[in-house]
Amino acid sequence: MGFEKREILLILGVLFLMLGLMPFLAPVYAIIIAVVAYFGIRVFVKKRKQQIQNAMGEGICAVCGAKISHGKCPNCDNTYDGSKI
């Protein structure tokens, strides 16, 4: 199982975060913050993928992330209808 492009970009981004923190913090703290940021982003993405997989069928709303039912978002379409533009 090799690295995908987004994983390499995440590693590079966290590396640059760590390098940016080093002038202000001790290197040990910068490394700890970078590792926590890396795993925090990985957990967030994993949960988001599971949420999208659970919304099979019509999909999810791009605005609030709720499951679309009957062609409408239950959260957004109640407060906003497209006729008031």
Side-chain angles (χ1 to χ4, degrees), residues 17-35:
L17 173 71
M18 182 183 69
L19 290 174
L21 288 173
M22 280 195 182
F24 305 107
L25 299 172
V28 173
Y29 295 122
I31 292 171
I32 292 171
I33 290 171
V35 169

Side-chain angles (χ1 to χ4, degrees), residues 17-71:
L17 173 71
M18 182 183 69
L19 290 174
L21 288 173
M22 280 195 182
F24 305 107
L25 299 172
V28 173
Y29 295 122
I31 292 171
I32 292 171
I33 290 171
V35 169
V36 168
Y38 175 77
F39 286 111
I41 291 170
R42 294 279 309 238
V43 168
F44 175 77
V45 169
K46 184 177 179 181
K47 286 185 179 182
R48 193 65 163 161
K49 280 185 179 181
Q50 287 177 350
Q51 181 183 15
I52 291 170
Q53 288 295 327
N54 291 338
M56 297 297 265
E58 296 184 46
I60 62 170
C61 178
V63 176
C64 68
K67 185 176 179 180
I68 294 176
S69 60
H70 304 296

